[in-house]
Structures are given as structure tokens and as C-alpha cells.
Amino acid sequence: MKIIILGAGQVGASVAENLVSEANDITLVDTSADYLAALRDRLEVRTVCGNAASPSVLREAGADDADLLIAVTQSDQTNLCACRIAKAIFNLPTRIARLRSTDFVDYPELLDNNNFAVDFSICPEQIVTDYIKRLIAFPEALQVLDFAEGVVSLIGVKAFEGGPLVGHPLKNLRFHLPNVEVRIAAIYRNGEPIIPEGDTVIVPGDEVFCLAATVHIRQVMRELRRTDKPMRRVMIAGGGNIGYRLARSIESDYHVKILEVDKRRAEALATQLSSALVLRGDATDEKLLENEGIDEMDLFVALTNDEEDNIMAASLAKRMGARRTLALINRKSYVDLVQGGPIDIAISPAHTSIGSLLAHVRRGDVVAVHSLRRGAAEALEIIAHGTPKDSKVVGRQIEEIPLPKGASIGAIVRDEKRIDGKVLRRMVIIPHHDTVIEPEDHVIVFCTHKKLVRKVEKLFQVGFTFL
């Protein structure tokens, strides 16, 4: 595909990095020549320096014959104008915009073809907020991802000494959980993937990714590690977009304290939040943390705009007694460096939110894409289309499907329909070697390396005879 990305910040750079490796023709547009030069040195991309909402700049970027525009600058106004221009002047087929303001959710008609002509909109801040909320609900997890509208969950956990399954082969899982269908999708040991087999033994420290129906996921987690007590008290450092969204969404269910260093912003938060306690102060202030009972906090979340401050604040909070710490960190190299030490979970906003973008870019009918292990692996939800005549997957047993090595089918969601066509219920099937994929099945595929994604997408594409 020929793709134009507007904005060379964290999100734009992360999207470019993911798509350029899949043989796409990428052009990056930004007003910063320095940002563009840095990305040119690292990636095989074409760059254009200029205003992303200017018709002449879009023409120079190749909008005349581009397949996709991804507008992810820091400005909602620039992103919206660029999509409108791309449609009106260049008739560019697909336009995606990053929108940070929540107003457009209330007025979706502004995004239709008669107005700003945005085909798909994403809000990274809201995606990160929802992601953190899932981690609060599953305090033992390193990663929590949903598929098929929440029917299936993929959970990443670190195996601990003493877990019922730790030190035993995976085939014992069916004896521990006789009434629960579960699939161990992948195991990472010392950062390297291990293909799970029946005789594979889980050892302490392994990162284990499990797929199961959402209603059973807690039972599965108990097999791998001891259950943590539920979260009750949460302290949030940073009252920016994500900090405010998180505090507002959880304040009715948890005891929430939010620290904000800026006086005006702290006053605004105090008026906008109903039960969360807003404190003005620096999250790296040891005395402040002590006075506010950091040792009684179940979770400390560092969400300021400064990643160094987040690392320092989360590390300090852990040393002072916070049960679990989470830090928002933009640089991937930092994420890999700090996670697992004093910081339990490090989140990269770009990697967390990129799945929503990639789902609109992937070939075939890809419903969801989730980036795993900070971008090293991916999980896809793909709808199987076609017939046995024109599809390589429909009508075939799992063992007959030529999946590339490192890719595995972890679960299938199948709609059971009534005579009138309405969905009666959604069945979660953990497939075996003889399970047959049917048309319209939602198939969850786990790829231990993102380079496998293109091959998997191609496998699910139907032939030209399919209408």
C-alpha cells in the first residue's frame, strides 16, 4: 500500500516502523525537519517537511495516488482539515484521524463524508486509559487484551514459584482445569519465544500468554501464579489527558488520589472530578508521598508528560511500599530496560494504541490487532471468509492449514444463529488439530514475531472467485 502518515511524533513514528517492515510505500509529513531526519536515518521512508493541512504539501507527499492517509499530528484541527482536503481535492480512498478531544464522540456526524470525511478516528489517550483499567481489574497480569467484543481474553502473566502449573508440563493443565478450555498461546523465557507443546515445562519467571473465554480467565491465571488481592487504593501521578481520564473512570470504584504539579491544572481537576482527591505537588517528592500514605497504595500510576519523572516517581513509590507500580514511557528502549525491576509494568502509549490503527491497515477482514511484548509479537482477530474452493482456511482442519512457523490459532469465536439470522449466542472454541474452521468464524491468531503477520493475512485472503 501507498501510505501517507501525517505527524512524526511517537504515534506516527511507531506506525511507520510497523508498516515499513511490511513492504509498504511510506511517506512521513511533519513540520520538524529534525524529527524527519532522525526517522530517515532509521527507516526506509520518504519525508516531506511542511504543514500537513496544506494541499500543496499533501500533493508533494503523493496524495494523488495514495491508498491511505493516517493523520496523527498533535493537533485535532490539523488532522481533521487534512482528511477533508484529502477527500475533496485528491479523493484519497481511506482516511484515519487521531482525535484527542472527546467532543467528536458526541457529534459523530461531523466526521462523515459531507463534513470532515474521516473514515476512522482513534484516541490514543482513551485507548491507554482503557488498557490501564483492565490491568487494575487483573492485578496479577502484565498484559490484558480483549477479542470478539470482550468474549475472549488474552492474558500475559509472569509465572511465579508456587503456582500449581509451574514446574509441570502443559499437558497437566487439562487435569487442573477439567471444565475449562484454555490455550497457552506462547511462552517467553529470557525474552525468547518458546513454542508451547504438551511436554513444555513452565519455569518461574516465564512470561506466559493464555487465551480463554473471558468468564474463565481468572481460573486460568490462578494456575500460573498466586492471586493478588483486589486493588482498592490507587494513586495517579500526573493530571494530564490520560491521568484525568483514568481518575474519572475509576473514582467511583476505588479510592483515588491524583498528584498534579501545576496549580491551575490541579484546580481544574478538583472541579471536574467528583470523589477523587486532588493534591498539588511533585510525584518525586519523597515527603509528599510519605504524608499521603504511599505504603498503603495498591497501585501507583505515573502518567506525567515526562518519562524520566515517571520512572523516578514509580521507582520511588515502589521503594516506599506501594504494592504495584506502573509507568507511562514513550521510548521503547526504556520500556524494556525498566519493566520487571522496581517498575512492575511499563506502558508505551504508541505500542498500546497502535493496534486500533493497524486493524484498519491490515489486508483481509482483520477486526483487531494487538501489539504484544512492546511490539515484538502480535495477536490478530481475523474473520474467515469464502468457501473451501477459494479459501485456504475455510472448511479445513487446523492441522491442514499451512500456518507459518511461529504462528498458531489460539481460539475461534463462532456465532450460533437463529432461523431469522439473529445471533443467539457466541461460542468460544479452543481448537484442536481436527477442528474445522467455518465461514464467518472469528479466528484469533498469535504470531510470536510481527514479521509473520503478512503471511498470516495472505493465508486468510480469499481467491478471486469469491463474490
Side-chain angles (χ1 to χ4, degrees):
M1 297 177 72
K2 189 171 183 181
I3 302 169
I4 300 173
I5 301 173
L6 308 180
Q10 289 291 338
V11 176
S14 186
V15 172
E17 186 176 359
N18 274 267
L19 297 180
V20 79
S21 62
E22 297 168 21
N24 293 296
D25 181 1
I26 309 290
T27 301
L28 270 164
V29 178
D30 200 278
T31 53
S32 171
D34 292 339
Y35 278 13
L36 294 175
L39 286 170
R40 261 199 322 272
D41 291 341
R42 196 157 54 87
L43 306 172
E44 289 185 21
V45 294
R46 181 170 165 263
T47 60
V48 174
C49 190
N51 183 352
S54 165
S56 61
V57 171
L58 289 177
R59 177 171 279 112
E60 187 182 349
D64 286 306
D65 61 347
D67 301 301
L68 173 67
L69 179 82
I70 303 175
V72 287
T73 74
Q74 294 284 344
S75 165
D76 286 1
Q77 291 77 11
T78 299
N79 296 337
L80 290 169
C81 288
C83 288
R84 178 70 257 175
I85 293 166
K87 171 66 176 174
I89 298 178
F90 304 105
N91 199 27
L92 201 151
T94 307
R95 302 156 304 278
I96 300 174
R98 170 191 186 174
L99 299 175
R100 307 178 81 176
S101 171
T102 56
D103 290 348
F104 298 103
V105 176
D106 300 325
Y107 302 100
E109 61 273 15
L110 291 173
L111 305 181
D112 65 26
N113 276 342
N114 295 322
N115 292 291
F116 286 114
V118 176
D119 292 309
F120 308 105
S121 64
I122 68 156
C123 177
E125 290 84 358
Q126 188 59 48
I127 293 168
V128 173
T129 301
D130 293 339
Y131 184 79
I132 296 172
K133 281 178 64 181
R134 289 197 295 271
L135 288 171
I136 293 173
F138 292 91
E140 308 93 341
L142 295 172
Q143 201 160 7
V144 184
L145 303 169
D146 290 338
F147 294 94
E149 299 175 331
V151 175
V152 176
S153 289
L154 176 67
I155 300 275
V157 297
K158 181 168 278 191
F160 272 53
E161 188 75 56
L165 195 62
V166 176
H168 301 283
L170 292 180
K171 60 188 177 185
N172 287 9
L173 190 58
R174 65 177 180 270
F175 301 115
H176 288 268
L177 298 168
N179 300 315
V180 175
E181 288 282 347
V182 60
R183 170 62 46 82
I184 304 297
I187 299 170
Y188 285 85
R189 186 170 296 162
N190 301 320
E192 294 298 320
I194 295 172
I195 305 300
E197 295 176 349
D199 294 326
T200 303
V201 175
I202 296 175
V203 302
D206 282 355
E207 282 186 49
V208 184
F209 285 88
C210 315
L211 261 172
T214 301
V215 293
H216 296 143
I217 206 70
R218 289 193 187 277
Q219 290 174 261
V220 176
M221 290 175 69
R222 281 197 291 270
E223 292 300 310
L224 296 168
R225 55 164 297 151
R226 55 183 177 270
T227 304
D228 287 350
K229 63 179 182 180
M231 299 283 182
R232 301 238 184 266
R233 296 178 177 82
V234 180
M235 182 178 286
I236 301 169
N241 279 330
I242 298 174
Y244 165 66
R245 286 171 189 262
L246 180 63
R248 187 181 63 180
S249 64
I250 68 171
E251 64 178 343
S252 58
D253 300 314
Y254 302 89
H255 298 289
V256 179
K257 292 183 179 182
I258 182 166
L259 308 179
E260 171 56 48
V261 71
D262 182 79
K263 181 183 178 183
R264 245 180 230 182
R265 180 62 181 168
E267 290 171 348
L269 289 170
T271 60
Q272 293 164 352
L273 296 170
S274 56
S275 58
L277 177 62
V278 181
L279 303 162
R280 187 184 165 213
D282 188 341
T284 60
D285 183 340
E286 191 171 350
K287 193 69 178 173
L288 175 64
L289 293 179
E290 184 182 354
N291 289 341
E292 294 305 326
I294 189 63
D295 58 329
E296 297 177 352
M297 292 295 154
D298 296 308
L299 178 67
F300 179 88
V301 190
L303 304 175
T304 75
N305 292 324
D306 188 310
E307 60 188 6
E308 280 86 3
D309 275 359
N310 291 342
I311 293 170
M312 291 298 295
S315 300
L316 180 61
K318 187 74 171 184
R319 183 173 66 80
M320 295 181 68
R323 177 156 69 96
R324 202 155 173 82
T325 58
L326 182 152
L328 201 65
I329 301 172
N330 287 317
R331 282 181 251 193
K332 183 177 181 295
S333 56
Y334 280 19
V335 173
D336 293 332
L337 184 67
V338 303
Q339 179 161 302
I343 297 173
D344 295 297
I345 301 176
I347 293 180
S348 163
H351 278 125
T352 303
S353 59
I354 198 172
S356 298
L357 272 171
L358 294 179
H360 300 305
V361 178
R362 299 300 190 200
R363 300 167 184 83
D365 202 345
V366 178
V367 180
V369 180
H370 290 298
S371 184
L372 307 170
R373 297 199 79 254
R374 285 84 71 190
E378 284 194 3
L380 296 86
E381 177 186 344
I382 311 176
I383 301 177
H385 289 307
T387 65
K389 185 186 291 185
D390 49 47
S391 169
K392 295 177 182 176
V393 296
V394 172
R396 286 169 172 75
Q397 294 182 356
I398 297 292
E399 65 183 2
E400 299 172 336
I401 297 172
L403 285 164
K405 187 178 181 181
S408 60
I409 294 175
I412 298 169
V413 179
R414 184 171 295 162
D415 292 342
E416 186 180 299
K417 296 183 179 179
R418 300 190 319 204
I419 298 173
D420 58 7
K422 290 187 177 179
V423 175
L424 183 63
R425 68 188 181 108
R426 308 196 79 184
M427 299 183 295
V428 177
I429 301 167
I430 301 299
H432 301 285
H433 66 95
D434 57 350
T435 303
V436 177
I437 292 181
E438 297 181 3
E440 307 309 310
D441 278 352
H442 286 238
V443 184
I444 290 100
V445 184
F446 190 96
C447 299
T448 55
H449 197 285
K450 63 183 179 183
K451 69 182 179 183
L452 300 171
V453 169
R454 197 173 171 207
K455 294 177 181 178
V456 171
E457 288 171 347
K458 193 173 181 181
L459 188 63
F460 274 79
Q461 287 179 312
V462 294
F464 290 111
T465 57
F466 178 66
L467 295 176

